[in-house]
Amino acid sequence: MKFLKSPASTGLFILMAFTLAGCPSSYQKISTKPVEKVNDHVLTSKQFANQLARRLRNFDALAAKDPNNIHRVKEEILRDFLVKSLTLDWARSQSIVISENMLDKEVDKLRANYPDDLSFRRALALENLSFSEWREELRYGLVEKEVFKKLNEKIKPPTDEEIKRYYEDNKDRWKRKERIYIRQIVVDEDAKADAIRTDLKTSDFGEIARKFSITPEGKTGGVVGWIEKGSVDYFDPLFSAGAGLQTVKSPFGVHLIRVEKKAPATTQPLEEVKSQIIRALRAQREQAEYVAWLDAQLRSSKVLKDYDLMNSITVDTRGPND
């Protein structure tokens, strides 16, 4: 779980206003009304408003006022609450429980990312989250991992035939362009380049690169490595250049380049990309399994949404000097 950036970094204060037909004293009653109910899980209008404010902190002032953005974020909150509720219910039916010891370990691991407890508490405050709320969100993240793990247990690995078929159907993905392996020395003036070109007749390329090159790879003797044709426009002339030291100019300076290897355009063999294909096929199956599972949970659940109440929750953005 990551904290979002603070509202101070955007110069915004996001205020939630309930558009009420009655008097202000109705606020308490309205704030506890459900915007969404999923089985026995309830998302109140106050909880909904807090989540909306938290998510809109990542928007600038103009984007946070955009009705399309606000509507999209509201729909995301409803969808996320629905999925969370269904996930928790199924986890309970499968006796998936996160022990306090496991949760404490995860809490300690994340808190260790902060220099001290004050910094950690400050991050919570900026998100308008209490420690207990944050801890429960963390618990849900662990539950979700266990649910995914259980769902994926039934997924069978792809067969050799399926792997081969995927390879043939996506052969363009495995095509590799012509490549060259290069080392370079980059300087900021033509005069320096001329002097180095003379020195290279009697000195080691790597030593000169480490001493004079102004780009990061100079520290490793000027090794850039493999470059595909078309990936860096000012390197493309090197593919048709002859042997010997080549000179190229770019916004970074004057490049003295040695082409050490050349490799023609090829198609990567199946064995070379097999692990990628297995991951891709497994990801497809995991997604299909999850969609089918979610659909089944939805069909067996009771879901109620109060769109009128949701639409009555409006957003007011104000700058720090307002």
Side-chain angles (χ1 to χ4, degrees), residues 1-180:
M1 173 186 171
K2 295 181 179 178
F3 292 119
L4 304 178
K5 61 185 178 182
S6 73
S9 65
T10 60
L12 289 176
F13 294 99
I14 301 179
L15 308 174
M16 308 313 303
F18 294 96
T19 306
L20 304 176
C23 63
S25 62
S26 302
Y27 173 81
Q28 184 61 33
K29 182 180 178 181
I30 294 296
S31 67
T32 57
K33 285 190 67 175
V35 175
E36 184 175 24
K37 290 181 69 176
V38 182
N39 299 326
D40 60 350
H41 302 276
V42 177
L43 177 66
T44 67
S45 56
K46 182 179 180 180
Q47 291 168 331
F48 183 92
N50 286 339
Q51 288 193 38
L52 181 58
R54 195 175 300 144
R55 297 191 187 205
L56 288 178
R57 281 198 187 101
N58 270 356
F59 290 72
D60 60 35
L62 188 60
K65 293 177 182 178
D66 186 332
N68 292 324
N69 287 335
I70 295 170
H71 178 75
R72 177 174 56 79
V73 173
K74 285 182 174 182
E75 290 290 348
E76 287 175 357
I77 293 171
L78 293 182
R79 184 176 65 250
D80 290 349
F81 181 76
L82 171 62
V83 172
K84 180 178 181 179
S85 301
L86 297 177
T87 300
L88 290 172
D89 285 347
W90 191 80
R92 184 170 52 198
S93 74
Q94 299 294 312
S95 300
I96 295 175
V97 178
I98 302 301
S99 69
E100 293 303 306
N101 183 51
M102 185 186 303
L103 183 56
D104 287 340
K105 286 182 178 178
E106 193 68 14
V107 168
D108 291 342
K109 186 170 71 174
L110 290 176
R111 289 181 71 164
N113 293 326
Y114 294 84
D116 50 50
D117 189 62
L118 180 61
S119 300
F120 172 72
R121 296 285 176 177
R122 222 174 251 156
L124 286 177
L126 289 172
E127 287 306 306
N128 195 26
L129 275 173
S130 67
F131 176 76
S132 59
E133 288 173 324
W134 175 78
R135 197 169 188 273
E136 286 309 303
E137 286 191 14
L138 193 57
R139 186 194 301 274
Y140 172 68
L142 295 174
V143 169
E144 191 176 45
K145 285 181 182 178
E146 292 301 313
V147 167
F148 288 152
K149 187 188 297 183
K150 196 168 186 67
L151 289 175
N152 294 337
E153 283 175 358
K154 62 180 73 173
I155 296 175
K156 295 180 180 179
T159 64
D160 288 341
E161 183 59 35
E162 289 170 330
I163 293 170
K164 185 176 180 181
R165 188 183 313 124
Y166 187 94
Y167 175 78
E168 294 296 336
D169 290 345
N170 296 274
K171 215 157 189 178
D172 282 349
R173 291 178 55 183
W174 321 123
K175 288 182 178 178
R176 178 173 279 171
K177 296 179 182 178
E178 183 182 352
R179 297 177 298 153
I180 53 174

Side-chain angles (χ1 to χ4, degrees), residues 289-305:
E289 178 68 27
Y290 177 73
V291 169
W293 169 82
L294 193 60
D295 182 62
Q297 304 315 303
L298 190 56
R299 283 188 278 107
S300 62
S301 299
K302 185 176 182 181
V303 181
L304 298 173
K305 299 179 184 180

